Amino acid sequence: MKYLVSILIITCSMTMGWAQQAFEPKVDGTKYYIQVYDGETNEKILYQNAAHPSWQTKIQLADFFDGSLSQLWTFKATAMYPGYYSVFNHDENLTEAHHLMSWNWNAYLGANRDPADSPEMQYRFIEVADGWYKFETIEKEDGLNGIAYTPGADALNLKAEGFVSFSDVKSADVTPQNMINNVFRFVEFDPLTAYDNSLEIGENLYKTYPNAPETARYDFFYALEKGREARVFATESEILASQDMIYEAIAKFTRVVEFDTMLTDALTFINASDADSDVKTSFTALVNNADEAFNAGSLSSEDIEVITLDIAAAKELVEAIIAAQTFGTSLTGLDSRLRSGVANAVSSAKAILISAQGNADAYNAAILHLEKMEDTILEINTATELLEGTQEFEEAKEILSTAIEAAIVAINTVDVTSEELDASIAAMQEAIKTFQKALEAGDTLVELLNAGFESDLADWVVDSPTPSAAYPENKGVDGSRSITCWKGSEYQMSVYQSISGIPNGTYTVSCFATVRTTDDFSLFAASDANYQVLPLVNDGTLTQRTVEIEVTNGMLEFGLKGSGSDNMVPAGSWVVFDDFEVKWASQTKVTNGDFENDLTDWSVEGDVSRAYPENKGVDGSRSITCYGGADYAISVSKTLSGLENGTYAVSAMAKTNVDNAFVVSGESAGVESMVPVTGNQLMKFKTVVTVTDGTLTVGVHGAGENNAVPAGNWVVFDNVEVVRMPNIPVVNAGFNADLTDWLVDSPTPEAAYAQNRGIDGSRSITWWRGSDYQMMVYQSINNISNGTYKISCVYRNSSEGAIGLFAESGANIVDLPLPLYNNGEQDLTKSEIEITVSDGTLSFGIRGQGDNNGVPAGQWIVYDEFQVLLKTITPVYEEAIPQNQEVIPEIIERAIPESEPKIIYSQGGQSLNIQSSDVIVKYAVFSLTGSMVDTQQTSRNSVSIPLNRGIYIVRITTENGVVDTKKMTIY
């Protein structure tokens, strides 16, 4: 058929030369039905579907013309727009005259404008090929009724969802080559011709299905015979009276044929499926029961419709059961409780298929439950892979492990509900998100208030004369709460936060955003004289956008704003944004850290040929691979010099085939910090290094002695990064100056003394005394940024819990009794704690865990290398007052005397509905700034005004001179 259509189009374009003749409909009340050129039957008909819930998409397609009023249209010419016509629909469900509207590119029937002068109710019809016409609007002025219309006339077109619209297609672009779903034919309604057509359709349908049930064929044939008899012997009025009988017979026979075909297809499906025998038995019984009732003639049209839905849902459930069993098999080798969870869900689904014979709702619920089960297990697997491939981060791992275990318990709980599985999935996703943030090397986050807009615009400043143009919706990341800015006319907008009390340095400010038009909105950040702005590009999706800003005065202002002068935004332009994030990003340049220039500027030691470039990095980019078929040694490194002393995070994206065979390393002044590479998926591995001599050597090397690697082991690494961490004034952290700058609180201070028993024999502190003693060694620092701090040291000790690591800030006190660790000289293990600082002060160190810092006789500890890291920053929120907001005059609600008309305002869909006991002669709608949104003269008791989301001032004038003003919010 598609070849025939192609030939037809080519022939038409050649023979007609694409002569653009206009169709001029009769304007005397003659009715037409409108066919759509779909390239197939071309018999589908436009009609008004009054039952459809959305006003924008009510004009839809019927399979054929059935003579109903909702399929019939009339035309009227207007003197104001010569050559154009308004279009009226005769749907009996419409309570008043409704004409076709094209407001905001929608195609719908409206009654709130006068078709004699409304530009959004004017159309003409230009031939494209062979009596098929494009259905075009006039070219509408930009800003008309608050809409930013684009140049050129728009053309009515059929959407894939089955409704028509004026969006996305310009009339000038419609040609014979692309006219499918873009052109229409207007057929004058002749009742007798329509009657003959219905008889022809019925006869063809009867001949097409000779194997339909005998009773149905007999009833259908009898109805057609009665119709043919009426056509020959009855009067015209009698013929037309029997029209509905013919249409009803066609519809009934069509349902029967479709039902019979559906039953046959259902049996074919189950016989060919891989379903278990019990599933096949249950499904076959459902189909056979329906077939018996059908052949017995005991099913009504309503019964047929219900059973059709039941069997379709049952078929989908069978497919879902098979898919779940296949999924369960794929889990072999993983935690056995995952497979048992799938098995439980499959058993429940089978039980529903057996017991709920003919219950589509029950089948659909079982399908949903199987899908939720699979989604939960996939999240469990994702989380498990993260855990298995990560070293350190014990707190984050514990949270994620708890979420995994809770989800496994849920899937193995008898009668677990889909809602409970949803809760498990949400908890898993949140735990994964938290865990992944913990793995981001060098990322010190600023703890923002309401960064994801879950509390709408709380803690944000909306600086605009029309603040209602910024409003919350659920269009954010994963459908979460977000903010939209939109207005039909030009407007000013800035949404921002202002914070202080953060360390000076480089920060990144990011959010997820999508825009209608490139460059109309910008992401911005400002600190003192520094100002960074990023115009947003329309890339069609919610994308993370980022700017970098240098903070020099401890203060930062950031957010989204209009890109024009005074934050101006063009009419109709919008932005949706979500999930702001501010984080420390003082990155130190690592030349060729992404290896795009292979190993240039890097030093390779050992078996140098074992390190070579490949395209296996992030997103298939250039990377370095180390591999040898025999035992080998390898180190790939570079040294950075001229650095400010302090704490640095060194990271690389890496993967390996054998855990712990390679390390990501950072070294300064002979002290190395490293993290083992684990897992065969590219992940970020980080280690923290204290630079004490202005130099830092970074890279990847074998984990064995002298950088040795066993035969067959490989590593791939990419994106080596070095980030300067916020300055924390800790002095003599490695005890190179013994106990200088540390406070010793003890009646016997000599029990704490310096030795060379630290990392690699470096200077360290030892505690020991032959009798019971009390001891606390600590530092106190002031005037630091509020936030979450991580304090760590390395140690070995003589017993469990006698001595501990501690931190204090104001009323916050954290003590960690240290576990036993004594694996030999110079073998020290790392321990860490976290504390929240809210008053700018912090004390930390080591103390006895008994009363008054007591330690039992003979107990000892050796410790070294204290680190204090700022993990998250808690800013101070500055009070920011919008500069551009205007005061909106207050609407005074007044009591209406009984003699005045009763006026009722309500919202229906995206329309404001107004009813009045007096005739309404005029209405006007204003924005909160006083801009005119819509105004019309009318002579009706009720009006319906399509409006976008927002707050409006509405003024109604009645025929008795009453003026009523109301403030209305459209949601």
Side-chain angles (χ1 to χ4, degrees):
M1 182 65 185
K2 63 183 178 181
Y3 303 111
L4 177 60
V5 171
S6 301
I7 293 170
L8 172 63
I9 292 174
I10 294 170
T11 303
C12 290
S13 61
M14 293 174 60
T15 59
M16 296 182 59
W18 192 16
Q20 294 200 339
Q21 302 296 319
F23 167 67
E24 297 181 1
K26 296 178 182 179
V27 293
D28 57 0
T30 298
K31 298 181 180 67
Y32 293 81
Y33 57 91
I34 303 174
Q35 294 177 322
V36 181
Y37 184 83
D38 61 7
E40 296 177 0
T41 66
N42 303 328
E43 293 178 353
K44 292 185 170 64
I45 305 296
L46 286 190
Y47 82 109
Q48 158 74 1
N49 184 358
H52 191 70
S54 173
W55 61 270
Q56 300 104 319
T57 57
K58 282 183 182 291
I59 302 180
Q60 301 181 342
L61 288 189
D63 289 333
F64 57 87
F65 178 63
D66 63 9
S68 62
L69 291 175
S70 63
Q71 295 183 346
L72 293 175
W73 310 78
T74 54
F75 301 86
K76 185 176 181 180
T78 53
M80 185 174 288
Y81 300 97
Y84 288 84
Y85 301 83
S86 60
V87 182
F88 173 81
N89 183 265
H90 290 268
D91 184 2
E92 63 269 30
N93 293 298
L94 301 175
T95 56
E96 51 187 316
H98 280 66
H99 291 76
L100 182 65
M101 291 279 291
S102 61
W103 178 78
N104 201 20
W105 293 281
N106 296 301
Y108 66 100
L109 294 174
N112 62 321
R113 306 214 198 289
D114 187 343
D117 59 13
S118 173
E120 291 166 323
M121 287 185 167
Q122 308 301 320
Y123 312 95
R124 67 176 180 177
F125 318 103
I126 305 299
E127 187 172 25
V128 176
D130 196 27
W132 292 95
Y133 297 82
K134 51 187 176 183
F135 193 133
E136 72 173 26
T137 68
I138 67 169
E139 182 170 2
K140 285 173 278 194
E141 179 184 354
D142 182 14
L144 176 66
N145 290 320
I147 303 302
Y149 287 114
T150 51
D154 300 301
L156 190 68
N157 59 94
L158 176 64
K159 301 302 183 185
E161 297 84 356
F163 65 91
V164 291
S165 168
F166 289 98
S167 65
D168 306 321
V169 178
K170 290 294 183 182
S171 179
D173 297 331
V174 179
T175 70
Q177 286 71 39
N178 67 3
M179 70 183 200
I180 290 177
N181 296 333
N182 291 327
V183 295
F184 305 85
R185 175 172 286 158
F186 305 90
V187 181
E188 187 173 334
F189 174 58
D190 174 8
L192 290 180
T193 301
Y195 189 86
D196 291 339
N197 288 341
S198 66
L199 287 175
E200 183 178 352
I201 290 171
E203 190 170 331
N204 290 336
L205 190 62
Y206 181 82
K207 292 177 180 179
T208 302
Y209 295 100
N211 297 321
E214 184 177 342
T215 301
R217 278 178 57 83
Y218 174 81
D219 290 344
F220 190 38
F221 181 80
Y222 179 77
L224 293 176
E225 281 297 297
K226 293 292 289 182
R228 283 188 283 264
E229 179 183 341
R231 187 65 177 92
V232 175
F233 299 107
T235 65
E236 182 173 330
S237 61
E238 290 172 335
I239 291 173
L240 297 181
S242 65
Q243 177 73 80
D244 288 344
M245 179 268 293
I246 299 299
Y247 286 139
E248 184 179 345
I250 291 173
K252 182 178 179 181
F253 187 73
T254 300
R255 286 195 297 270
V256 168
V257 167
E258 290 174 346
F259 187 73
D260 189 51
T261 303
M262 182 273 296
L263 293 177
T264 302
D265 291 346
L267 290 175
T268 302
F269 156 76
I270 196 64
N271 290 331
S273 76
D274 296 327
D276 295 339
S277 59
D278 54 348
V279 173
K280 287 187 173 184
T281 299
S282 299
F283 185 85
T284 301
L286 176 65
V287 177
N288 287 340
N289 290 340
D291 191 42
E292 290 175 9
F294 179 55
N295 290 324
S298 60
L299 297 180
S300 65
S301 297
E302 292 75 15
D303 293 334
I304 288 176
E305 184 175 348
V306 170
I307 293 174
T308 299
L309 294 174
D310 289 342
I311 292 179
K315 179 180 176 181
E316 291 180 2
L317 178 54
V318 170
E319 292 172 332
I321 290 172
I322 295 171
Q325 290 173 322
T326 302
F327 175 67
T329 302
S330 72
L331 301 175
T332 301
L334 302 179
D335 191 325
S336 62
R337 294 177 295 172
L338 302 182
R339 294 189 68 183
S340 67
V342 174
N344 290 339
V346 168
S347 297
S348 297
K350 286 183 175 182
I352 290 172
L353 189 62
I354 294 170
S355 61
Q357 282 283 306
N359 187 332
D361 289 342
Y363 299 151
N364 289 329
I367 294 168
L368 178 64
H369 190 77
L370 289 171
E371 291 172 349
K372 298 293 184 186
M373 179 67 67
E374 181 172 344
D375 289 345
T376 305
I377 292 173
L378 290 174
E379 292 292 346
I380 291 172
N381 288 343
T382 298
T384 302
E385 289 174 4
L386 282 172
L387 278 182
E388 292 174 347
T390 305
Q391 302 290 322
E392 298 186 337
F393 306 101
E394 295 304 322
E395 180 185 1
K397 287 170 74 173
E398 182 178 352
I399 294 172
L400 188 55
S401 296
T402 300
I404 291 172
E405 190 61 30
I408 291 175
V409 170
I411 65 174
N412 283 279
T413 300
V414 178
D415 298 329
V416 63
T417 65
S418 294
E419 291 75 15
E420 290 168 336
L421 290 177
D422 273 336
S424 291
I425 293 172
M428 288 290 302
Q429 290 172 339
E430 185 62 31
I432 289 171
K433 185 186 295 186
T434 301
F435 188 80
Q436 288 173 328
K437 284 191 175 182
L439 301 185
E440 293 178 353
D443 290 348
T444 300
L445 296 175
V446 179
E447 295 180 317
L448 302 178
L449 298 178
N450 194 27
F453 303 103
E454 297 309 313
S455 299
D456 297 340
L457 280 161
D459 303 304
W460 290 83
V461 178
V462 180
D463 192 359
S464 171
T466 55
S468 60
Y471 49 88
E473 294 189 288
N474 293 320
K475 294 183 177 180
V477 178
D478 298 323
S480 64
R481 208 66 168 156
S482 60
I483 299 301
T484 298
C485 297
W486 180 90
K487 193 171 183 288
S489 56
E490 188 178 55
Y491 63 111
Q492 295 168 272
M493 182 57 65
S494 176
V495 180
Y496 67 93
Q497 288 191 357
S498 184
I499 59 177
S500 63
I502 61 176
N504 290 337
T506 306
Y507 291 79
T508 60
V509 177
S510 66
C511 73
F512 284 84
T514 181
V515 293
R516 177 182 179 181
T517 307
T518 294
D519 293 344
D520 284 352
F521 289 90
S522 296
L523 174 66
F524 76 92
S527 178
D528 201 12
N530 299 326
Y531 184 73
Q532 296 295 325
V533 63
L534 174 70
L536 302 185
V537 175
N538 177 13
D539 54 11
T541 186
L542 205 63
T543 307
Q544 190 170 37
R545 324 295 179 117
T546 304
V547 294
E548 191 172 274
I549 183 77
E550 189 73 21
V551 172
T552 56
N553 62 351
M555 300 179 66
L556 176 64
E557 187 172 290
F558 59 91
L560 268 174
K561 68 179 191 67
S563 298
S565 177
D566 296 325
N567 306 328
M568 195 64 74
V569 183
S573 190
W574 54 257
V575 64
V576 175
F577 55 95
D578 189 17
D579 274 9
F580 264 86
E581 187 175 73
V582 177
K583 60 186 179 185
W584 177 273
S586 288
Q587 194 153 326
T588 301
K589 184 176 181 181
V590 179
T591 306
N592 193 29
D594 57 6
F595 302 104
E596 292 306 306
N597 293 317
D598 297 341
L599 282 163
T600 302
D601 298 320
W602 288 85
S603 173
V604 182
E605 298 178 356
D607 299 313
V608 295
S609 64
R610 303 304 186 191
Y612 48 91
E614 290 189 291
N615 294 320
K616 294 183 177 180
V618 177
D619 297 325
S621 63
R622 211 64 170 157
S623 60
I624 300 301
T625 298
C626 298
Y627 168 78
D631 291 350
Y632 65 106
I634 197 70
S635 172
V636 179
S637 66
K638 70 162 41 192
T639 299
L640 310 177
S641 59
L643 301 181
E644 180 184 353
N645 288 343
T647 304
Y648 289 76
V650 178
S651 68
M653 299 294 293
K655 62 180 180 179
T656 183
N657 64 329
V658 178
D659 290 352
N660 304 316
F662 299 87
V663 295
V664 175
S665 167
E667 181 180 337
S668 179
V671 178
E672 184 179 19
S673 178
M674 66 188 82
V675 57
V677 178
T678 58
N680 62 1
Q681 299 293 323
L682 275 177
M683 291 178 56
K684 184 178 279 189
F685 295 88
K686 81 160 186 177
T687 186
V688 177
V689 186
T690 301
V691 172
T692 55
D693 64 355
T695 66
L696 174 61
T697 300
V698 300
V700 175
H701 62 75
E705 187 174 355
N706 296 320
N707 305 324
V709 183
N713 291 0
W714 57 258
V715 69
V716 173
F717 57 95
D718 190 12
N719 286 9
V720 176
E721 296 179 346
V722 176
V723 176
R724 171 79 161 88
M725 304 294 284
N727 249 337
I728 311 297
V730 181
V731 291
N732 191 25
F735 303 104
N736 293 324
D738 296 343
L739 282 164
T740 302
D741 298 307
W742 289 85
L743 299 174
V744 180
D745 184 0
S746 172
T748 55
E750 68 278 4
Y753 47 91
Q755 292 183 299
N756 293 322
R757 303 175 71 182
I759 298 174
D760 297 326
S762 64
R763 210 63 172 156
S764 61
I765 300 300
T766 299
W767 292 5
W768 181 86
R769 196 165 186 269
S771 57
D772 292 349
Y773 62 106
Q774 298 167 283
M775 183 65 68
M776 179 170 69
V777 178
Y778 66 100
Q779 279 194 30
S780 292
I781 52 181
N782 300 308
N783 300 317
I784 60 175
S785 297
N786 291 336
T788 304
Y789 286 77
K790 181 186 290 186
I791 297 98
S792 66
C793 69
V794 295
Y795 77 95
R796 66 187 184 95
N797 59 3
S798 60
S799 66
E800 180 93 17
I803 302 169
L805 177 64
F806 82 94
E808 296 184 2
S809 178
N812 297 331
I813 301 174
V814 178
D815 266 290
L816 176 65
L818 294 173
L820 172 64
Y821 189 87
N822 187 14
N823 291 344
E825 197 74 17
Q826 297 184 10
D827 184 359
L828 281 69
T829 189
K830 186 176 183 180
S831 187
E832 61 187 32
I833 55 176
E834 287 188 8
I835 189 167
T836 299
V837 172
S838 55
D839 63 357
T841 66
L842 175 65
S843 296
F844 60 92
I846 300 288
R847 64 185 174 197
Q849 294 298 292
D851 292 341
N852 298 316
N853 307 321
V855 182
Q859 300 300 318
W860 57 263
I861 186 172
V862 175
Y863 59 92
D864 191 11
E865 291 300 334
F866 263 86
Q867 278 188 344
V868 179
L869 300 178
L870 179 53
K871 186 176 178 182
T872 62
I873 301 167
T874 304
V876 176
Y877 270 74
E878 299 296 308
E879 182 178 359
I881 300 175
Q883 300 299 309
N884 294 320
Q885 286 199 12
E886 298 176 355
V887 177
I888 305 299
E890 182 181 1
I891 301 297
I892 305 298
E893 296 289 347
R894 61 187 180 88
I896 300 177
E898 293 184 3
S899 60
E900 293 193 11
K902 183 179 181 182
I903 301 175
I904 300 174
Y905 300 82
S906 63
Q907 181 179 348
Q910 287 298 115
S911 294
L912 172 62
N913 299 320
I914 307 172
Q915 290 183 308
S916 171
S917 57
D918 274 2
V919 172
I920 300 170
V921 296
K922 183 180 180 181
Y923 71 80
V925 182
F926 304 87
S927 70
L928 285 178
T929 58
S931 300
M932 177 71 73
V933 175
D934 190 7
T935 183
Q936 290 290 330
Q937 293 183 345
T938 181
S939 59
R940 298 190 295 270
N941 290 90
S942 64
V943 292
S944 180
I945 311 169
L947 292 172
N948 288 301
R949 182 194 305 268
I951 304 175
Y952 301 88
I953 307 299
V954 183
R955 180 170 297 153
I956 301 298
T957 305
T958 74
E959 64 180 353
N960 292 322
V962 173
V963 177
D964 191 63
T965 303
K966 184 81 170 179
K967 182 178 179 181
M968 291 295 300
T969 301
I970 300 298
Y971 296 97

